[in-house]
Amino acid sequence: MNPLKKKPRTHSTQEAPQKPEWLKVKLTFPDPKNNTVAIVRDSLEEKKLNTVCESASCPNLNHCWSRKTATYMLGGDICTRRCSYCDVASGKPKPLDKGEPQRVAESAIALGLKHVVLTAVNRDDLEDGGATHFAETLERIREGLPDCKIEFLVPDLKAKLESLEIIFQSKPDVFNHNVETVQRLFPEVAPQKRYDRSLEVLKIASERGFLTKSGLILGMGETVEEVKECMRDLAQAGVSLLTLGQYLQPTPTHLPVKEYVSPEVFKELRIYGKSIGFKGVFSGPLVRSSYHADEQVSWTP
């Protein structure tokens, strides 16, 4: 186990609100004759690959893996940034694994995936932020799965035009960058990120003609009006698809949950998002950026 994973955080261990019924997920066990969760896990372990499903403690892991879908996390499992909500380890990353793009492609091909999401830890130690690694992985997948849709869920890459150009030249089917929270909370939630920089990245991608997507996690102290303001900013930046989900505290030392947002509010935000021009708004307590990503893309003409 990487010792950096358990590095103490400075947030208080205050008691969170009681988890409501709508967030209590009923566990389902796969048919032992068709254990697709085990098939996906075996493929990932065989190729020594990381997924955001595991690294970020996603509550939908079993559901997504049972559908033979997974979000591959490139660039290792150590992030150069330290966000207060995220369960991915932070610290000094290892050098890039040059064989990773090929192994990701082999895994995707073996699983017969039709929609692949590629994300990565922040690699601020690299000149291009890991953009070339994204592009190489996409190229390898398309060599074996030419009809597979490929979605990039990228860090902000410090909004470097050279890095973004590498991403654009590889021509992903979806360009995704999550703003994560409202502008007021950035200093507390993601102190090494900038709200305006995230909007700039999405605006540039939209202007280049890409299907753009972003997401927020709610319950970290924002107001509904602040969320709507952020949604308007994203729509103005040209974002087409939006995901809204509930923040769940990964460990007692992470940012505490301030509120469990009701399904009614998620519904209100979904309706509002459609009214201001989003082509698709996937909004609900257990929604995550990559949850049913293939279906989200199908909403668009």
Side-chain angles (χ1 to χ4, degrees), residues 3 58 105 136 161 175 188 213 222 225 261 272 286-287 290 293:
C58 180
E136 290 179 354
L161 292 179
F175 182 97
E188 178 184 8
K213 175 179 169 183
E222 72 291 328
E225 185 48 50
V261 180
Y272 179 75
L286 291 176
V287 168
S290 302

Side-chain angles (χ1 to χ4, degrees), residues 5-65:
K5 182 74 171 179
K6 299 302 180 182
K7 184 178 178 181
R9 294 174 184 261
T10 57
H11 292 286
S12 70
T13 57
Q14 70 182 62
E15 186 176 351
Q18 186 175 358
K19 187 175 290 188
E21 287 298 321
W22 67 76
L23 273 174
K24 295 178 181 178
V25 182
K26 182 179 180 180
L27 292 176
T28 57
F29 298 93
D31 182 347
K33 296 180 180 178
N34 185 26
N35 192 350
T36 51
V37 173
I39 291 171
V40 174
R41 177 174 279 111
D42 289 347
S43 174
L44 296 168
E45 291 180 353
E46 177 189 355
K47 302 297 181 184
K48 298 180 180 179
L49 300 173
N50 298 302
T51 68
V52 74
C53 319
E54 292 181 297
S55 296
S57 304
C58 180
N60 300 313
L61 184 150
N62 282 339
H63 179 77
C64 291
W65 284 15

Side-chain angles (χ1 to χ4, degrees), residues 1-11 54-57 77-79 82 86-92 249-254:
M1 180 178 291
N2 192 317
L4 294 170
K5 182 74 171 179
K6 299 302 180 182
K7 184 178 178 181
R9 294 174 184 261
T10 57
H11 292 286
E54 292 181 297
S55 296
S57 304
D77 60 354
I78 301 175
C79 186
R82 189 170 181 78
C86 184
D87 201 27
V88 176
S90 63
K92 183 178 180 180
Q249 187 181 26
T251 74
T253 56
H254 282 77

